[in-house]
Amino acid sequence: MSHSHEPTTFLSKYVFSFDHKVIGIQYLITALFMAVIGGLLALTIRYQLAWPSENVVSAESYLSLVTMHGTIMVFFVISMGLVSGFGNLLIPLHVGARDMAYPFLNMLSYWVMVPACLLMIGSFFVEGGAAAAGWTAYPPLSALKDAVPGSGMGQTLWLLAMALFIVSFTMGSLNYLTTILNERTRGMSMMKLPLLTWTFLISAIIGILAFPALTAAAVMLLFDRHAGTSFFLPAGMYFEGTGVLPNMGGTPLLFQHLFWFLGHPEVYVLVLPALGITFEIIAAFGRRSPFGYRTTVYSLLCVAFLSMIVWGHHMFTSGMDPRIGEYFSIVTVMITVPFSVIGLNLIGSLWQARIRAETPMLFALGVISAMGMGGLGGLYLGTATSDMYFHDSYFVVGHFHLTIGTVTFLALFGGIYHWFPKFIGRKTNELLGKTHFWLTIIPMFAMFLLMHLQGMGGIHRRYYDVTQYSYPNASAMALMPWISYLAFALFAGQLVFAFNVIWSIFRGEKSSENPWGATTLEWTAPSPAPHGNWPDKVPVVHRDPYDYGSDGVWAQNVENAEGQA
Amino acid sequence: MTAESLSRPVDPLSEAELKESSRKVGLLAFLSSVVMLFATFTAAFLVRRTGTDWKPLEMPEIMWISTWLLIGSSVTIEISRVTGRKMGLLVTLGLGLAFLFCQVKALSEMGGFSGALAENPHFSFIFVLLLVHALHLLGGIGGLFLTSLSSSRFGWVVTYWHFMGLVWIYVLVLLFLS
Amino acid sequence: MTARSHLSAGFLALFFVLLVIAVVGGFGFKTWLPPVASEHGAVVDKVIRYTLLTTGLVFVVGHLILAFFIVKYSRDERGTAKRLSPGVEARWALSVAFGMSIIAEVGVLVIGMPAWAAVYGEPSPDDVVVEVVAQQFGWFIRYPGKDGKFGACRPELIRRGDNPLGLDKKDPASADDIIVEDELRLPVNKPARIVLRSLDVLHSFSVPEMRVKQDIIPGYTGRTRFVPNREGTYEIACAELCGLGHYKMRGLLQVMAPQDLQRWLSEQVPAITYIVD
Ligand code: HEM
Ligand SMILES: [Cu+2]
Ligand SMILES: [Cu+2]
């Protein structure tokens, strides 16, 4: 087995490591680093929005900031942190394997991600600045330097970085899928998998099937940009100074279809693992088996399927055929079905529980609330008729920040607190953790809920200076600076987290193998888990993942009531 | 994947067998990803073809040659696999390179990177699809090279090679015969 | 279970209760929407109110249960939960899913569909037809004139000073076309069919009070349709990122009495007279 040849040099142990845990931590650290960048970009955006007359940034830079903030947060923070980070850390431990199915590919996937990050960051410093066509990169704006300066070199680097990201993410997904389907230990049937691993499996499937659409779109966009083709560029575009462009009958809408064929499933790549983490934490700190394991699994599969056929809800107002729009509206709101089941199961899992409201649990409970609000907000946007009003308004910004921003970030933090003892061997500080929780949830909820109100008031998104118009509701406009204060407060509160993590790495209370008394397999390995995960034999599974019985709590590998493994 | 293996009633297989079966699962997943990639291009092609500026091109003669080369290479790799002789892989590799050469030639005959690429949308698709297919085939060529050097079994490369041959025929039909 | 854990649970429950109060107060007791000024807009608002009501109810009930469970089950020292049979759990799931899907589809189909059909339905011959052409970063408005036909436009003819849309003089339909910048005038209570074109990139024609938003795709002729039913001046905004000036691509929509519009139109000089050869 792979643990027999343990790496010895620094390079092979910490840098080019094949060990899924090291790679997972590399991903997590990189994601947190990118989160700082993405956060600083957000703060600058917020400053400009609240005090536009001060012009802290130019209009060019503003669009680049918005574009890069969105791209970095979606792909390089949440996808990378939740899926690549936690996925790597936990999948082999959860299924009872010593490592991923392809450790070398795994190492490679991280080292393809690093240049992707560097290219993304580097694109700020090229002529014309970073990409400025939004994270959605709709052509013609994203294809023509004449249209916006960021569509010069910046957009090329953006596309290349995204291509590397997709390559890396695909390698990762192949690993997760194969490991989960094929490398489970004895007794670990699919229906005994922890729910988090189920969500990783779904994410991997979506990653494998949906990302190619973006690859294809990116290739064609690159050709439109650099070889003069007209995949997405229509005839007769006129720019002052340049005149009429020579392109012929391409279709800009085609790009939007391809983008959202990936884009919508991608949001489930972000949200589902967050919900998986929440289920794990709630089981461990609620001391009961989650309500409806089976209905949750079926709902997840249902979400995965539906996610591939609803992309058009981002395009209700795009000018596509209105009958197709109505179809997309009908199936989109059907996503309520699996998600309401998941919501029911999350809340139901607290029924008759014995809740220990420690830090990870607080974050998990926060996720339930955020997912509820975010999901219900989605109904306003999924209903085509009301989306005519809400599309591209602050309502949308509030909505997706609650779901792919708040749900994911709360889960990311909760997960870090929950599994910190496993991978570092020490616990984080409870008091600091709880402080961090309150400093996070209050500004986050307030900020993004207020954005919904602004959207109702009619404020449009991606505006450099929102004061140009007088139609928006005056109270909605008055919220602008308050949201910015909340954003600054939120960012400041994260210092507590940074301090807690760094301090706990060195000074935290030493942790036992299973500090929370949880039941899934990772807690049967030593803390921190060694290379190969289990020093002797790989555990064999005899029980359901959450066996919190009335007569005791049993880890998955316990065979009989006497507690013998 | 059988129902049996999904429920894992028994010990996982020996390490070698496990590796082998994992390789199959991973390869299958990767090929699904490739299928989705070409499916996306197909959708784009079918949409774009309805444009008023569409000027269909004839298939250049040389693509028959490249097609036969690729079919031939599938035969040689199969012979190599059945007989277990690695020499056949090098022959396959050679045929693969010849195929790529013909593709480049076909593209440059049709106008190459010059004006034609921008002026005729059909040619834009031909160019991009040939390029994307060629890049995937290059992966296969790398795999052939490594497999022919190593002492291990044939692994993924045979399936992959056949698969890329099928994809080429699909691309050909899509571009010129549909 | 420590005392501190009780305390945290209590705080969190309290937080959720306060959240319920804040959200109900914020969304329920104040109208944030700009006052509606179109016929189908009233239906859009009805959909929004319906969704506010139903999702609000689900939100309140869900959060109160959440808060209640957090308090109740962090104090209780009883044994663990009874295991429910999968059948019972499935029945719960089905009922909740059924309820939610009814709520959602009623919004889409029963209440929302008529407005969607009004905006995208078949044009009628009495529609007032006006063309709105978007360009970085402004709007051109074109009226077809007496003949009711728009003259042909060709991008090669575009010249900023005198022929901003590239109007083709040779087309007889061009003769009486009227082009103005940034101000759209429509008669009140008459269906307006807006023909949408873009000269460069994507834009979106958005008039919040009309509850209208329609992206404009270069190379395509799009449309939207609404019946303004309140006279007044409204702002036109661009709702699709189109470049540096996106945020100030401001236009005006004046909804006026039909005879006023007629008078105004009769005072305009056809665009063709401005074109110098
Ligand atoms: C944590 C604090 C955050 C703040 C203060 C913040 C703030 C903002 C602001 C002000 C905008 C610009 C809205 C506009 O266009 O006017 C924005 C856009 C966006 N944000 Fe965030 N954000 C945060 C976190 C996140 C997270 C965690 C995500 C995660 C996935 C995210 C994803 C996005 C996306 C996708 C966009 C759209 C970019 C575009 O329009 O192209 N944000 N954010
Ligand atoms: Cu979506
Ligand atoms: Cu705009």
Side-chain angles (χ1 to χ4, degrees):
Chain A
M1 291 268 152
S2 52
H3 69 302
S4 51
H5 24 91
E6 185 149 350
T8 45
T9 67
F10 179 80
L11 268 187
S12 62
K13 206 164 172 180
Y14 297 111
V15 182
F16 298 108
S17 171
F18 287 15
D19 186 327
H20 69 99
K21 298 180 293 296
V22 179
I23 297 174
I25 288 176
Q26 286 174 325
Y27 268 124
L28 258 184
I29 292 177
T30 316
L32 289 175
F33 171 74
M34 295 301 277
V36 175
I37 297 184
L40 288 173
L41 299 181
L43 295 191
T44 322
I45 300 172
R46 281 309 327 173
Y47 196 96
Q48 170 63 29
L49 281 170
W51 299 282
S53 57
E54 293 181 23
N55 292 319
V56 277
V57 290
S58 64
E60 286 104 295
S61 317
Y62 181 80
L63 292 185
S64 295
L65 292 178
V66 171
T67 303
M68 297 302 278
H69 160 76
T71 310
I72 287 178
M73 285 294 193
V74 168
F75 296 106
F76 294 86
V77 177
I78 302 297
S79 301
M80 187 147 91
L82 280 185
V83 183
S84 312
F86 278 109
N88 266 305
L89 284 175
L90 289 170
I91 289 172
L93 281 159
H94 266 177
V95 304
R98 293 207 183 273
D99 207 321
M100 283 288 179
Y102 317 109
F104 175 74
L105 198 68
N106 210 15
M107 182 276 284
L108 208 59
S109 84
Y110 178 74
W111 286 104
V112 171
M113 194 67 98
V114 171
C117 294
L118 294 178
L119 275 183
M120 248 331 151
I121 299 172
S123 74
F124 273 108
F125 305 103
V126 298
E127 198 195 321
W135 82 285
T136 47
Y138 284 178
L141 193 63
S142 61
L144 305 170
K145 257 209 307 291
D146 294 316
V148 70
S151 291
M153 192 61 187
Q155 189 73 44
T156 302
L157 293 185
W158 187 95
L159 285 165
L160 292 177
M162 283 310 298
L164 287 180
F165 174 89
I166 295 174
V167 168
S168 163
F169 204 77
T170 306
M171 291 196 240
S173 298
L174 292 176
N175 246 325
Y176 313 148
L177 181 99
T178 311
T179 310
I180 296 171
L181 285 183
N182 214 45
E183 310 238 323
R184 281 166 290 125
T185 181
R186 178 175 170 187
M188 180 63 91
S189 66
M190 290 304 279
M191 282 303 180
K192 286 199 167 63
L193 282 177
L195 285 170
L196 175 56
T197 294
W198 264 107
T199 61
F200 285 136
L201 177 64
I202 308 275
S203 288
I205 294 174
I206 294 177
I208 288 169
L209 297 184
F211 268 105
L214 186 57
T215 314
V219 169
M220 288 187 273
L221 187 54
L222 276 171
F223 268 79
D224 275 1
R225 292 169 48 77
H226 297 288
T229 55
S230 304
F231 290 107
F232 305 126
L233 298 180
M237 290 178 295
Y238 170 87
F239 289 91
E240 217 165 326
T242 329
V244 181
L245 301 187
N247 294 84
M248 301 158 307
T251 52
L253 266 190
L254 176 60
F255 181 89
Q256 299 185 19
H257 280 291
L258 301 185
F259 181 88
W260 287 113
F261 184 79
L262 154 86
H264 188 76
E266 164 68 12
V267 306
Y268 295 129
V269 170
L270 308 178
V271 160
L272 293 184
L275 297 177
I277 288 177
T278 307
F279 272 113
E280 297 304 314
I281 295 178
I282 286 185
F285 287 86
R287 320 302 300 152
R288 62 156 289 175
S289 172
F291 186 90
Y293 176 95
R294 270 169 192 273
T295 52
T296 305
V297 170
Y298 297 143
S299 297
L300 289 172
L301 293 168
C302 184
V303 167
F305 171 72
L306 284 175
S307 78
M308 303 263 181
I309 59 167
V310 298
W311 74 89
H313 60 220
H314 297 269
M315 300 167 61
F316 287 142
T317 65
S318 70
M320 70 179 174
D321 188 323
R323 281 160 305 184
I324 301 181
E326 196 62 20
Y327 152 79
F328 276 122
S329 186
I330 293 167
V331 284
T332 294
V333 298
M334 284 317 278
I335 297 191
T336 323
V337 168
F339 270 116
S340 58
V341 173
I342 293 175
L344 165 80
N345 291 348
L346 282 168
I347 296 184
S349 302
L350 301 175
W351 177 67
Q352 294 200 344
R354 284 175 296 164
I355 296 172
R356 296 188 311 214
E358 289 177 47
T359 308
M361 184 62 165
L362 292 179
F363 278 97
L365 294 169
V367 170
I368 302 182
S369 167
M371 192 62 212
M373 293 188 293
L376 291 171
L379 276 183
Y380 299 76
L381 305 170
T383 305
T385 312
S386 41
D387 188 58
M388 271 196 288
Y389 179 67
F390 288 121
H391 182 74
D392 256 349
S393 75
Y394 259 84
F395 195 94
V396 177
V397 180
H399 162 71
F400 68 65
H401 279 98
L402 265 189
T403 45
I404 62 173
T406 306
V407 165
T408 52
F409 250 96
L410 292 180
L412 186 71
F413 289 134
I416 291 177
Y417 288 115
H418 186 61
W419 281 288
F420 196 89
K422 177 54 47 192
F423 296 103
I424 307 294
R426 291 170 189 272
K427 283 187 171 182
T428 52
N429 181 290
E430 256 314 286
L431 188 62
L432 288 177
K434 284 182 171 148
T435 314
H436 172 225
F437 169 73
W438 290 109
L439 291 179
T440 302
I441 195 163
I442 293 176
M444 262 197 170
F445 276 28
M447 191 159 78
F448 297 138
L449 279 170
L450 292 180
M451 286 188 189
H452 284 77
L453 295 181
Q454 290 196 309
M456 291 214 141
I459 301 180
H460 286 105
R461 70 190 270 212
R462 292 171 169 174
Y463 270 24
Y464 172 59
D465 177 356
V466 286
T467 60
Q468 295 285 324
Y469 290 87
S470 52
Y471 70 83
N473 184 295
S475 338
M477 287 295 285
L479 294 173
M480 269 299 174
W482 294 103
I483 297 179
S484 297
Y485 290 133
L486 287 164
F488 298 143
L490 173 67
F491 197 80
Q494 305 315 307
L495 295 177
V496 178
F497 170 71
F499 176 76
N500 192 357
V501 165
I502 294 171
W503 187 83
S504 304
I505 288 176
F506 301 104
R507 292 285 153 78
E509 178 195 336
K510 277 241 159 65
S511 161
S512 65
E513 192 175 279
N514 189 359
W516 316 122
T519 51
T520 42
L521 286 185
E522 77 270 32
W523 304 106
T524 65
S527 300
H531 192 74
N533 294 343
W534 290 272
D536 33 60
K537 276 211 179 137
V538 172
V540 171
V541 168
H542 298 283
R543 287 169 187 271
D544 287 342
Y546 312 101
D547 206 345
Y548 299 90
S550 47
D551 48 345
V553 174
W554 315 107
Q556 273 194 286
N557 63 340
V558 176
E559 184 161 13
N560 52 33
E562 275 74 56
Q564 281 153 359
Chain B
M1 285 277 100
T2 59
E4 185 100 305
S5 71
L6 281 176
S7 64
R8 273 268 183 264
V10 290
D11 261 330
L13 323 148
S14 74
E15 197 179 350
E17 280 171 318
L18 184 67
K19 272 231 168 85
E20 186 57 35
S21 77
S22 281
R23 184 147 52 210
K24 282 195 191 126
V25 175
L27 183 60
L28 199 70
F30 179 66
L31 297 185
S32 330
S33 189
V34 177
V35 167
M36 286 305 286
L37 181 67
F38 282 92
T40 311
F41 279 117
T42 306
F45 179 81
L46 296 180
V47 170
R48 187 68 180 80
R49 193 167 63 171
T50 59
T52 48
D53 58 337
W54 192 259
K55 286 172 289 205
L57 295 170
E58 286 290 308
M59 180 174 136
E61 291 295 308
I62 190 165
M63 280 194 194
W64 285 117
I65 305 180
S66 53
T67 306
W68 283 115
L69 283 172
L70 208 54
I71 293 174
S73 75
S74 263
V75 175
T76 55
I77 201 171
E78 200 51 30
I79 293 173
S80 169
R81 185 182 69 85
V82 172
T83 60
R85 294 245 219 99
K86 294 240 159 147
M87 201 41 218
L89 293 185
L90 290 178
V91 177
T92 309
L93 196 157
L95 289 172
L97 287 176
F99 167 83
L100 289 181
F101 178 77
C102 289
Q103 299 289 82
V104 172
K105 193 120 175 59
L107 285 182
S108 60
E109 266 176 25
M110 294 178 85
F113 213 74
S114 70
L117 177 56
E119 275 150 27
N120 186 319
H122 189 197
F123 185 55
S124 310
F125 271 99
I126 297 173
F127 196 98
V128 167
L129 277 166
L130 258 61
L131 182 75
V132 172
H133 176 260
L135 288 177
H136 281 86
L137 203 76
L138 272 179
I141 288 183
L144 284 175
F145 184 66
L146 291 180
T147 315
S148 66
L149 290 185
S150 79
S151 55
S152 67
R153 305 224 349 263
F154 284 81
W156 54 274
V157 77
V158 179
T159 319
Y160 185 77
W161 194 262
H162 288 321
F163 181 77
M164 286 329 294
L166 282 179
V167 169
W168 168 244
I169 295 188
Y170 170 77
V171 167
L172 201 68
V173 171
L174 176 74
L175 283 176
F176 296 106
L177 307 173
S178 65
Chain C
M1 240 176 297
T2 63
R4 258 203 307 193
S5 163
H6 284 315
L7 204 61
S8 293
F11 274 139
L12 192 61
L14 182 66
F15 174 75
F16 286 143
V17 172
L18 292 177
L19 183 70
V20 167
I21 296 173
V23 168
V24 171
F27 286 83
F29 287 94
K30 182 165 166 51
T31 323
W32 296 85
L33 302 167
V36 64
S38 70
E39 257 175 25
H40 82 277
V43 184
V44 173
D45 285 13
K46 198 156 100 188
V47 175
I48 296 175
R49 275 198 302 277
Y50 165 83
T51 317
L52 274 171
L53 201 75
T54 46
T55 57
L57 206 69
V58 175
F59 164 78
V60 171
V61 172
H63 273 71
L64 291 183
I65 295 178
L66 187 60
F68 173 70
F69 279 2
I70 291 174
V71 173
K72 177 149 165 57
Y73 296 114
S74 63
R75 290 173 183 277
D76 240 28
E77 295 286 341
R78 278 181 307 126
T80 36
K82 284 200 297 287
R83 283 266 182 122
L84 296 179
S85 73
V88 176
E89 292 176 337
R91 235 166 290 149
W92 269 97
L94 285 178
S95 346
V96 168
F98 182 72
M100 284 304 296
S101 61
I102 295 292
I103 288 179
E105 296 296 357
V106 164
V108 172
L109 294 170
V110 181
I111 310 182
M113 187 80 115
W116 187 256
V119 171
Y120 292 109
E122 284 308 305
S124 96
D126 342 315
D127 290 353
V128 177
V129 184
V130 186
E131 187 184 62
V132 172
V133 183
Q135 186 192 25
Q136 287 184 333
F137 299 97
W139 309 89
F140 291 104
I141 318 294
R142 180 156 69 132
Y143 294 86
K146 291 216 178 49
D147 63 355
K149 285 203 204 103
F150 292 111
C153 284
R154 292 199 281 118
E156 314 83 77
L157 299 177
I158 295 179
R159 210 158 42 193
R160 224 338 156 45
D162 60 339
N163 194 0
L165 298 187
L167 195 62
D168 186 352
K169 269 177 132 171
K170 295 197 197 80
D171 184 352
S174 302
D176 57 353
D177 285 10
I178 291 166
I179 300 177
V180 289
E181 233 171 299
D182 289 333
E183 279 197 36
L184 169 62
R185 289 171 176 78
L186 292 176
V188 70
N189 287 330
K190 292 224 170 124
R193 173 145 43 103
I194 312 289
V195 178
L196 294 164
R197 288 197 300 122
S198 163
L199 296 185
D200 39 42
V201 296
L202 295 166
H203 299 272
S204 184
F205 174 79
S206 167
V207 188
E209 284 93 345
M210 300 293 149
R211 309 291 189 261
V212 161
K213 191 172 287 149
Q214 184 62 53
D215 289 10
I216 312 174
I217 310 165
Y220 285 78
T221 306
R223 69 182 160 123
T224 186
R225 189 164 172 273
F226 58 99
V227 185
N229 58 8
R230 195 153 54 77
E231 285 183 36
T233 305
Y234 308 95
E235 283 168 314
I236 301 173
C238 178
E240 183 62 64
L241 182 58
C242 59
L244 298 184
H246 168 54
Y247 68 99
K248 55 179 178 193
M249 197 166 147
R250 180 168 173 270
L252 288 180
L253 162 61
Q254 291 200 25
V255 179
M256 41 175 63
Q259 59 275 25
D260 292 347
L261 181 64
Q262 278 315 321
R263 181 157 0 101
W264 178 82
L265 275 173
S266 63
E267 288 160 4
Q268 302 307 306
V269 183
I272 197 165
T273 49
Y274 293 112
I275 303 177
V276 284
D277 297 285

